[in-house]
Amino acid sequence: MSAPFLKVEGLAKRFPGERGKSDLTVFENIHFGIEKGEFACIIGHSGCGKTTILNVLAGLDEASDGLVIMDGKEVRGPSLDRGVVFQGHALLPWLSALKNVEFGVRSRWPGWSAQQIHAHSTKYLEMVGLGHAMDKKPAELSGGMKQRVGIARAFAIEPKMLLLDEPFGALDALTRGTIQDELLAIVQATHQTVFMITHDVDEAILLADKIVLMSNGPYARIAEIVEVTLPRDRSRATMHHNPQFYRIRNHLVDFLVNRSHDFANGAAVDHDPLHPPLVRPGLESAGAEILPLPSAQQQPPHSNPTRIHKASA
Amino acid sequence: MSDKKPWLAPLLSVLFLALLIGLWQLATKQEQGAVVVDDEYAALIGAAAASGGKSAMPTPADVGAKLWEHLSDPFYDRGTNDKGIGIQLGHSIARVLMGFGLAALVAVPLGFVIGMSPLVYKALDPFIQILKPISPLAWMPLALYIIKDSGISAVFVIFICSLWPMLVNTAFGVASVRRDWINVARTLEVSRLRTAFHVILPAAAPTIMTGMRISIGIAWLVIVAAEMLVGGTGIGYFVWNEWNNLSIANIISAILFIGLIGMLLDNTLARLARAVTYKE
Ligand SMILES: Nc1ncnc2c1ncn2[C@@H]1O[C@H](COP(=O)(O)OP(=O)(O)OP(=O)(O)O)[C@@H](O)[C@H]1O
Ligand SMILES: [Mg+2]
């Protein structure tokens, strides 16, 4: 198999311990890949290091070990090739919504005229449904609108890859649903490659092609990679009619509740961090070898996760 | 409450003013004809005043007349010791603006560097800590000795006293710009210079303006004292000169004008500060 579009190899992050104490290893031995046009979500408990990984992918933070290769080149420092939607929207409060988007567009295409920049930025703000509020300052926008401006700003520079850190975490359920639908439509139309952090299992199933499960820190790892085996044209309104949805959902919840802490305390002995297992919950294809779950204590009755092959990272 | 009766506060202000002037009138009336005056005091304020013909303390009407005199002809010039109050205030304002402007030219760029670089901050911190608490007037003799020009020395003293609030506030404002905003600029590959002017400067502008407002307030406080020392021109010199002339009415007029100009300076800076303030 050819190397994926984005490749994370042996990533580790350690913080120097306080005097007399040993270093704090947040995570190590992180291996995974994302294909071009793929939407990957990462889920894990708070503090396991998701933001740190995203910041390393963005080039904003440096790993203690390992490397990230995107499109054949090692990631060193931030780049316009990777657009970032920040958790706290991070709009510049003294600029209008339009000027916030233009700020990035001007940097991406320095040779463009003011009209070109304006037209391009307007297009992306209209795409997220903010054509009417372009001249408003962030303080005059609702939380959902602010997050939309942040998404428009990231999309407008037409990056090779989009990185989103819990973009909808601070929004109410209704607004979140609307923006999820918008994001889904945009991503399906543009075939954007996306890496996104979320705490919301349903959100991950709706948006992602695959979901990267991270175990608890310290010494967090990629526990497994779950393939979302729902049709790509899924929607929030109909998704839950598919029985497959519940199998995936149960598998994810079970991981978060029961198994995510087994990796740090050594219960998952047969886990190979270099090739985290690729799992398709509920689908037992012929010839699949069925290995015991890492925890090996109790198999949840409702889900029947089956490993069919190892992810070739 | 204040919404329902917007005239209440101004009315109270006028009442307080009337009360103040009334008390003042009473106090100065009593003094009239009171001949019992301490000898030393009599020597100090001069025979004419002490003899009781007329109190040295002017009545509100005296001061009102003086004020009117000043306002009707503020810019006359009849020699060194007899200039209109407008000219004197003009000299003081010019010195304050010059010293303040020069200080801003130094403090804002230097504060920027200190705020951006923890190394420069650590290196310069001891100097700032020691220099900041020095009374600006303590520099005066040194300035006079080195510069040998009383006018420029006064400007230098203003420069020194306006420097610290602007420097410290700029450094603080720049250092505390939200990490997120700088990261936005980084991920968009915005150049360092453009980041400084388009992200850090607007983000820190309210804090910088706060420093400027403190500075101009201090500068206006210090200029009066500085001009009393160096003499020649300026409102501080005017006050001191009128003390020597024993014209209390003139001194009170000058005090009122000093307060008025100080308020104007502060209001101007407050308005500028509002222009660069943003809501998060
Ligand atoms: N400067 C630092 N020094 C020491 N430890 C740090 C530092 N910064 C982060 N950490 C630790 O690194 C770990 C990972 O942090 P990170 O922000 O990546 O977590 P996260 O998975 O994004 O959590 P959340 O879901 O709550 O956002 C945390 O346990 C945190 O305590
Ligand atoms: Mg996080």
Side-chain angles (χ1 to χ4, degrees), chain A residues 37-231:
Chain A
E38 196 170 37
F39 197 128
C41 274
I42 188 161
I43 289 189
H45 279 281
S46 188
C48 67
K50 305 179 294 295
T51 298
T52 311
I53 291 182
L54 185 129
N55 283 343
V56 171
L57 298 191
L60 292 170
D61 199 353
E62 274 181 28
S64 316
D65 238 325
L67 67 156
V68 177
I69 295 166
M70 190 183 87
D71 209 8
K73 274 182 299 209
E74 189 181 345
V75 167
R76 282 174 184 276
S79 151
L80 281 160
D81 286 342
R82 290 176 302 279
V84 184
V85 177
F86 294 85
Q87 177 161 20
H89 65 76
L91 300 178
L92 305 179
W94 54 90
L95 296 180
S96 68
L98 178 65
K99 293 266 183 282
N100 262 289
V101 178
E102 285 187 352
F103 183 67
V105 174
R106 185 169 296 121
S107 185
R108 175 76 174 80
W109 293 283
W112 278 13
S113 70
Q115 286 107 308
Q116 272 174 304
I117 291 173
H118 182 273
H120 186 85
S121 309
T122 307
K123 188 178 98 188
Y124 278 90
L125 275 168
E126 277 166 357
M127 191 177 77
V128 294
L130 281 183
H132 60 285
M134 293 194 296
D135 296 320
K136 291 214 166 120
K137 297 266 173 73
E140 303 160 329
L141 301 174
S142 70
M145 289 158 102
K146 277 186 258 205
Q147 209 50 268
R148 282 192 180 100
V149 178
I151 290 171
R153 177 173 64 187
F155 268 98
I157 60 168
E158 294 177 358
K160 289 180 183 166
M161 176 159 196
L162 205 58
L163 306 169
L164 304 107
D165 189 351
E166 277 186 69
F168 314 130
L171 304 181
D172 63 278
L174 272 175
T175 315
R176 193 185 314 174
T178 324
I179 305 188
Q180 281 167 359
D181 285 344
E182 281 167 13
L183 182 64
L184 192 64
I186 298 169
V187 168
Q188 281 171 358
T190 56
H191 301 288
Q192 179 74 53
T193 312
V194 184
F195 177 80
M196 169 165 150
I197 299 174
T198 178
H199 270 131
D200 182 340
V201 169
D202 295 331
E203 176 173 281
I205 301 173
L206 173 67
L207 296 171
D209 298 307
K210 72 179 181 201
I211 301 171
V212 179
L213 299 183
M214 217 169 153
S215 67
N216 294 0
Y219 297 96
R221 315 185 202 172
I222 303 300
E224 55 189 54
I225 293 172
V226 175
E227 200 175 315
V228 180
T229 48
L230 293 172

Side-chain angles (χ1 to χ4, degrees), chain B residues 195-258:
Chain B
T195 305
F197 278 103
H198 290 264
V199 179
I200 298 174
L201 187 61
T207 322
I208 297 175
M209 286 308 300
T210 305
M212 290 190 164
R213 208 171 150 191
I214 298 171
S215 281
I216 203 117
I218 295 178
W220 190 243
L221 290 180
V222 167
I223 191 66
V224 174
E227 284 170 347
M228 283 181 176
L229 281 175
V230 297
T233 50
I235 193 68
Y237 171 70
F238 177 85
V239 171
W240 197 248
N241 202 30
E242 294 309 315
W243 164 239
N244 288 332
N245 295 340
L246 219 85
S247 170
I248 307 292
N250 265 331
I251 293 175
I252 295 177
S253 309
I255 287 175
L256 287 177
F257 282 119
I258 292 171

Side-chain angles (χ1 to χ4, degrees), chain B residues 15-61:
Chain B
L15 274 176
F16 282 134
L17 183 67
L19 193 72
L20 209 67
I21 292 178
L23 284 175
W24 177 6
Q25 177 74 31
L26 274 177
T28 44
K29 254 222 178 89
Q30 267 176 0
E31 214 171 298
Q32 224 144 26
V35 214
V36 200
V37 172
D38 182 87
D39 276 349
E40 261 176 68
Y41 179 65
L44 195 65
I45 66 171
S51 65
K54 191 178 181 303
S55 164
M57 200 60 201
T59 61

